[in-house]
Amino acid sequence: MTRKKSLAAPLLLGVALVAALYAVVLVHAAGESLLAATLLVITGVAAWVYLSPRMYAYRYLFPGIAAAAVFVVFPMLYTISIGFTNHSSRNLLTFERATQYLLDETVDVEGSALQFTLHADGTQFRVRLQDPKAQTSYVSGPLALTNAVPRQLPAEAADVPTAEPVALREVIARQAALKALTFVLPDQRKVRMSGLRQFSSVEALYERRADGTLLNRRTGDVLTPNARTGFYQTSAGTAVQPGYRVGVGFDNYRRIFTEPAFREPFARIFAWTVSFSALTVLFATALGMLLAALFSWEALRFRGAYQVLLFLPYAVPGFISILVFRGLFNNNFGEINLILDALFGIRPAWFSDPTLAKLMLLIVNVWLGYPYMMVVCMGLIRAIPPELYEASAVAGAGPLTNFFRITLPLIIRPLTPLLIAAFAFNFNNFVLISLLTGGRPDFLDTSVPAGTTDLLVSYTYRIAFEDSGQQFGLAAAISTVIFLMVAAISLVQIRFARIAREEAR
Amino acid sequence: MAVVLARSHRWRVLLAHLFLVLLVAAVIFPFLMILSISLRPGNFATGSIIPESISLEHWKLALGFSTIAADGRLVQPTFPVMTWLWNSVKVAALTGLVTLLLSTTAAYAFARMKFRGKQASLTGLMLLQMFPAVLALVAIYAIFDRIGNVFPAFGINSHWALLLAYSGGIALHVWTIKGYFDTIPIEIEEAAKVDGATPWQAFRLVLLPMAVPILMVVFLLAFIGAIIEYPVASILLNEQSQLTLAVGSKLFLYAQRFLWGDFAAAAILSGLPITAVFILAQRWMIAGLTAGGLKG
């Protein structure tokens, strides 16, 4: 068995390496050189790790670490780098792609039109082009016309009497495949489809010049690439679509922190993000701790049943609970408003009033979050030596004294790192905001989409994916700012966790 | 233990019960409500918690059957809930397997081998999981958009892309499994090595069979994590037939088309099994971890 294995492993490795290298070639050919380089590096490291005996331990580590590096670390670094560009729906392409796009723009040469008919030839088709002035015809070879692959094909001067031309709808059905074809006539003229019934000679609109500028053949104007704005511009200074991605340095950060149109919503959303996380942690912990203290009280019966029922919000998938609340809180059809209406005659506008929307978010989030705190606190309270309570009972202390003098001081230290982690989690609680309010109701006085209940993460999401401008660069810059905040919170958390560990010793 | 009870004690117990009952009512209210809504006809609230007439229309629609409405129209299911559930289960099961494969091998190296950068990589893994994927959504979208230009099977709208995006989240699981391996005495593997086993054989034939409980737990945790994941799935998937439950369920509750009853049935249908799996995992987790502790 061992013998067979020693043969199979190198074989498998070889196949995998060849496949990976083939993928690298494919990716590079498709013009994604950054992606190709990344793949090549991973393949190289993999080959090194699995071929060198000195790297034996890393063979076990490599798959996991590589996955974490590629799909967790790399996206973070990539986010940071996007934050320094103008990547958006206006500046979507790479410079090369944008240049190629302009160079591919063609204009029909006037008076060059050839009449075009399509003829069936078995299951395939032949293209027949007729020059109305010279009275000559050209016919292509048989073509399948099933996919739109750009190709150059010869067409020969001949007038093979083929079948009758096919109906126009057949031409329309194969338009994409036909449009991809360029025929080279015997006199080296190149013609392309320019209408349903005609092919024309085409020429490129722009000509690339040695200094990187593009000459417009029609107007004689010169397009210069502008590396600051990410557009080619005419001599008059107008930008020409499509734009391309360029580095803009700290421009995005400048916008976030100095331009009032961005600074204002950022400051308000930051303030709400902090208060939302802090209040959630405060209320959820208070409720969870109270319940844990109650459940440690032996005089209370049915504790097990209460515990199971009160644990439920934690076990049900969050996205379902949140959507259930979205329906229950609905202004018009929601059951909560039906009950409030029947009892007090009020119908609060949970989704359109900013204060009520925030209140609703807190209620739902405390509902979702207290069971975790309850379970954690129960564990911590169980670890408190019972002698302490016996001593305090002898001294005649009541339950409140017990709680504030014994329970709370003893569990707050080990609890602090968890509270900070909960704060960090809610700081980035995208799912709750996205599924419950979507950030709405929106501020009315901002140019970017920003809502009164938006957290910083949902704000970046809206800038990147919901706004028509798709300002990926700006969104990535805000994400980078959040990275720094999360890192700061984590540092504090690690510090407190260390203190808690050292005290436990 | 003879303790003299004050008269106020009984009042306190009563108060505590009152508080707990009210709280349980508040916690259970949404669950009862959603059950009632799923069983009553129509998509609008009628105001009674116990439905006056029971209708199974929402359940039929959620299961993918068409129903006949009150006015005789044939009502087709608005959304392919079963397809979404299948998509979710498929992606989550594969994610669980891949996570297991990647994190078990890494945990073995961390628990049993000596190599340079061990402590640093362990700490690095711990730090990693503090930064949620939601912060890198822009980059994740851009990366898979670009990959899709070359390999459409791994681009936007592909479940493979989602699987790849999830496969990086192994940090916590590596720590969990390593913790369990640490409790298993190394002598058994060393005995196997004395008998001529390679490290790989010691790992696969000796250590892994002993670690089955923790592998189950990690699989279930990764499975649940993938099923309830929303942000990454919401940007990578946008074709209706490709959505997972977490992304698709949202579509029921738009202001213009508020399919409350249909949502309720779909929510119970998909929520119940996931909740059951979670409670199971929770129980196994405690059992698995204590079993490991006893051995050590």
Side-chain angles (χ1 to χ4, degrees):
Chain A
M1 185 181 162
T2 40
R3 195 192 184 90
K4 194 173 155 204
K5 213 169 216 170
S6 65
L7 256 176
L11 203 70
L12 206 69
L13 185 64
V15 171
L17 281 181
V18 169
L21 285 176
Y22 181 63
V24 170
V25 172
L26 275 187
V27 174
H28 186 71
E32 298 281 0
S33 38
L34 183 71
L35 201 60
T38 317
L39 261 177
L40 192 63
V41 170
I42 298 170
T43 314
V45 174
W48 182 43
V49 165
Y50 287 99
L51 290 175
S52 157
R54 281 176 47 219
M55 304 294 290
Y56 189 80
Y58 295 98
R59 292 184 193 180
Y60 292 86
L61 280 179
F62 179 76
I65 299 286
V70 173
F71 297 110
V72 180
V73 180
F74 179 65
M76 285 188 209
L77 300 178
Y78 195 40
T79 304
I80 297 172
S81 81
I82 293 176
F84 290 103
T85 69
N86 62 352
H87 195 171
S88 64
S89 62
R90 280 170 64 223
N91 300 74
L92 199 57
L93 305 175
T94 59
F95 175 68
E96 291 75 24
R97 284 282 183 86
T99 309
Q100 199 54 49
Y101 181 92
L102 290 172
L103 288 174
D104 284 347
E105 271 191 31
T106 54
V107 281
D108 297 344
V109 179
E110 276 172 49
S112 68
L114 301 171
Q115 279 173 15
F116 148 68
T117 43
L118 189 63
H119 301 263
D121 183 358
T123 56
Q124 295 190 313
F125 297 92
R126 282 171 187 267
V127 169
R128 180 167 182 271
L129 303 169
Q130 189 174 14
D131 192 335
K133 279 175 279 179
Q135 294 293 322
T136 46
S137 303
Y138 309 95
V139 175
S140 74
L143 304 161
L145 297 184
T146 46
N147 47 14
V149 184
R151 282 188 296 177
Q152 284 205 0
L153 298 163
E156 294 180 2
D159 201 1
V160 189
T162 46
E164 283 295 296
V166 300
L168 200 57
R169 66 183 153 79
E170 299 264 340
V171 177
I172 293 170
R174 290 171 181 78
Q175 204 175 356
L178 285 164
K179 280 219 161 133
L181 300 176
T182 304
F183 289 109
V184 185
L185 303 184
D187 56 1
Q188 298 307 311
R189 261 192 296 159
K190 290 179 182 168
V191 295
R192 280 159 76 167
M193 193 174 185
S194 57
L196 282 177
R197 295 179 190 280
Q198 64 173 20
F199 271 54
S200 305
S201 300
V202 287
E203 59 174 11
L205 178 59
Y206 295 103
E207 181 186 309
R208 197 205 300 252
R209 303 204 303 187
D211 57 353
T213 56
L214 301 179
L215 173 72
N216 186 325
R217 285 179 171 161
R218 277 286 163 88
T219 62
D221 196 9
V222 174
L223 298 187
T224 338
N226 184 334
R228 287 290 304 161
T229 61
F231 282 102
Y232 274 96
Q233 56 188 33
T234 62
S235 50
T238 15
V240 177
Q241 299 287 347
Y244 50 88
R245 303 194 289 259
V246 289
V248 291
F250 283 90
D251 270 9
N252 288 321
Y253 296 93
R254 215 166 288 142
R255 282 162 81 194
I256 301 169
F257 291 116
T258 61
E259 271 183 39
F262 294 97
R263 193 188 58 204
E264 278 289 304
F266 184 85
R268 279 185 247 172
I269 289 170
F270 176 69
W272 162 241
T273 307
V274 173
S275 36
F276 164 79
S277 333
L279 289 175
T280 298
V281 173
L282 181 70
F283 292 137
T285 313
L287 184 57
M289 206 186 277
L290 173 66
L291 290 170
L294 278 180
F295 292 144
S296 69
W297 190 16
E298 282 169 15
L300 199 70
R301 293 178 65 200
F302 314 119
R303 281 179 297 170
Y306 286 131
Q307 264 176 43
V308 169
L309 288 172
L310 290 175
F311 181 71
L312 264 187
Y314 192 63
V316 174
F319 73 92
I320 290 182
S321 315
I322 296 170
L323 287 171
V324 166
F325 275 111
R326 185 187 166 112
L328 290 177
F329 272 106
N330 188 291
N331 293 349
N332 302 316
F333 323 116
E335 274 67 14
I336 289 179
N337 270 7
L338 285 184
I339 293 172
L340 288 178
D341 198 16
L343 290 180
F344 309 109
I346 49 167
R347 283 180 162 273
W350 297 105
F351 285 91
S352 41
D353 182 281
T355 318
L356 286 176
K358 288 177 178 179
L359 180 65
M360 170 179 73
L361 281 172
L362 281 178
I363 294 173
V364 174
N365 209 21
V366 169
W367 188 94
L368 289 167
Y370 81 87
Y372 172 74
M373 289 299 171
M374 178 180 87
V375 172
V376 168
C377 289
M378 275 164 61
L380 291 174
I381 288 178
R382 211 171 290 143
I384 298 177
E387 294 83 32
L388 289 178
Y389 293 106
E390 281 164 22
S392 86
V394 169
L400 282 181
T401 321
N402 273 347
F403 181 76
F404 284 107
R405 289 294 183 80
I406 302 174
T407 315
L408 190 60
L410 278 174
I411 64 172
I412 198 71
R413 284 296 176 87
L415 199 58
T416 308
L418 294 177
L419 296 185
I420 299 172
F423 179 86
F425 173 80
N426 284 299
F427 197 87
N428 294 316
N429 199 338
F430 173 76
V431 178
L432 176 74
I433 302 295
S434 172
L435 291 182
L436 196 54
T437 65
R440 276 162 282 274
D442 282 350
F443 292 120
L444 299 172
D445 53 349
T446 56
S447 52
V448 278
T452 46
T453 61
D454 260 326
L455 301 182
L456 285 175
V457 265
S458 61
Y459 178 51
T460 49
Y461 178 88
R462 290 176 75 180
I463 291 179
F465 298 107
E466 281 184 5
D467 186 28
S468 58
Q470 295 208 316
Q471 302 188 53
F472 293 123
L474 183 67
I478 300 179
S479 290
T480 309
V481 174
I482 309 177
F483 274 134
L484 294 178
M485 294 178 183
V486 173
I489 299 172
S490 305
L491 281 181
V492 176
Q493 187 198 348
I494 291 170
R495 165 80 31 102
F496 274 100
R498 193 172 295 148
I499 294 172
R501 252 205 315 276
E502 276 163 12
E503 289 199 346
R505 251 173 228 156
Chain B
M1 192 168 66
V3 181
V4 184
L5 296 177
R7 187 136 41 105
S8 65
H9 182 267
R10 199 194 294 165
W11 282 106
R12 265 190 244 136
V13 171
L14 245 142
L15 257 175
H17 276 296
L18 188 68
F19 168 73
L20 285 172
V21 167
L22 282 179
L23 193 67
V24 165
V27 164
I28 299 301
F29 167 73
F31 298 122
L32 293 182
M33 214 56 239
I34 211 74
L35 182 66
S36 138
I37 290 159
S38 79
L39 288 174
R40 79 190 170 201
N43 271 313
F44 297 99
T46 50
S48 71
I49 291 186
I50 300 160
E52 281 125 25
S53 62
I54 287 198
S55 147
L56 291 177
E57 56 179 308
H58 303 308
W59 283 92
K60 283 188 190 154
L61 289 178
L63 288 166
F65 301 106
S66 45
T67 62
I68 313 276
D71 53 1
R73 269 178 317 116
L74 188 71
V75 182
Q76 295 288 346
T78 326
F79 298 114
V81 180
M82 295 315 275
T83 313
W84 290 346
L85 184 60
W86 168 238
N87 290 344
S88 281
V89 170
K90 188 171 70 178
V91 171
L94 285 173
T95 304
L97 285 178
V98 169
T99 304
L100 210 53
L101 202 70
L102 297 181
S103 48
T104 314
T105 46
Y108 176 62
F110 279 125
R112 292 288 191 262
M113 294 178 174
K114 286 198 184 74
F115 53 89
R116 280 178 58 194
K118 178 164 154 179
Q119 206 49 45
S121 2
L122 265 174
T123 317
L125 278 178
M126 181 136 85
L127 287 178
L128 263 194
Q129 47 124 359
M130 291 179 179
F131 296 89
V134 67
L135 292 180
L137 283 186
V138 171
I140 291 174
Y141 178 82
I143 290 169
F144 283 102
D145 193 34
R146 286 180 144 201
I147 293 180
N149 287 340
V150 192
F151 307 108
F154 294 97
I156 302 297
N157 255 325
S158 138
H159 292 154
W160 295 109
L162 202 55
L163 176 65
L164 283 182
Y166 290 161
S167 70
I170 56 161
L172 190 64
H173 303 308
V174 172
W175 271 86
T176 313
I177 302 178
K178 175 191 175 286
Y180 192 87
F181 283 169
D182 284 342
T183 65
I184 298 178
I186 194 167
E187 286 77 17
I188 309 175
E189 287 153 72
E190 278 171 354
K193 279 183 194 164
V194 169
D195 290 343
T198 63
W200 169 253
Q201 285 170 329
F203 167 60
R204 206 179 67 85
L205 302 174
V206 180
L207 186 59
L208 271 196
M210 288 195 286
V212 168
I214 197 70
L215 300 186
M216 299 274 226
V217 170
V218 166
F219 174 81
L220 286 180
L221 286 181
F223 181 86
I224 294 167
I227 280 221
I228 62 174
E229 203 283 339
Y230 170 75
V232 174
S234 82
I235 55 156
L236 286 186
L237 308 174
N238 46 40
E239 216 169 84
Q240 209 181 79
S241 61
Q242 295 290 94
L243 298 187
T244 58
L245 263 178
V247 185
S249 307
K250 193 185 174 188
L251 301 180
F252 280 107
L253 298 181
Y254 275 113
Q256 306 87 334
R257 197 170 51 165
F258 192 72
L259 302 171
W260 196 205
D262 296 351
F263 166 76
I268 299 175
L269 193 69
S270 49
L272 263 188
I274 305 175
T275 310
V277 171
F278 183 83
I279 291 174
L280 198 75
Q282 198 76 0
R283 191 166 288 173
W284 274 8
M285 176 122 146
I286 295 159
L289 291 178
T290 45
L294 288 178
K295 271 182 206 159

